Amino acid sequence: MFIADEVMSGFCRTGKWFGFENHDIIPDMVCMAKGLTSSYLPLGCLMVSDKIAEKFENTPMMIGTNIQCASSSYGGSASRNKHL
């Protein structure tokens, strides 16, 4: 199992959306934070492969508030609109 910690290197800090994309690897899990909301609000995320997601298909784990999720949605769309 390979876990990529993208808290410091994700969200275009290395020229691609995630640092691992600069190498020929595909992680099983990707941890991310900070860049999700442009550091305005605390929010973290764990992205997992399909194989791991199957284990949790019937038991979703969503923890957080609407305002944090809304700010991550805005931050991501703003970054995409700038063609980063």
Side-chain angles (χ1 to χ4, degrees):
M1 176 176 294
F2 175 64
I3 302 172
D5 184 350
E6 294 284 342
V7 172
M8 296 298 289
S9 59
F11 300 96
C12 302
R13 290 184 180 106
T14 63
K16 297 197 177 191
W17 275 105
F18 296 103
F20 70 83
E21 292 178 305
N22 291 299
H23 309 283
D24 195 20
I25 54 174
I26 298 175
D28 298 301
M29 298 177 150
V30 180
C31 304
M32 60 190 91
K34 295 182 184 178
L36 286 167
T37 64
S38 299
S39 297
Y40 291 116
L41 293 169
L43 181 66
C45 175
L46 177 66
M47 186 167 52
V48 298
S49 67
D50 289 340
K51 184 176 180 180
I52 295 172
E54 286 175 7
K55 301 289 184 187
F56 298 97
E57 188 171 327
N58 296 321
T59 55
M61 298 179 170
M62 292 183 224
I63 302 169
T65 64
N66 292 340
I67 193 165
Q68 290 160 316
C69 293
S71 66
S72 71
S73 176
Y74 174 77
S77 64
S79 296
R80 282 189 297 277
N81 290 337
K82 291 181 182 179
H83 303 289
L84 293 176

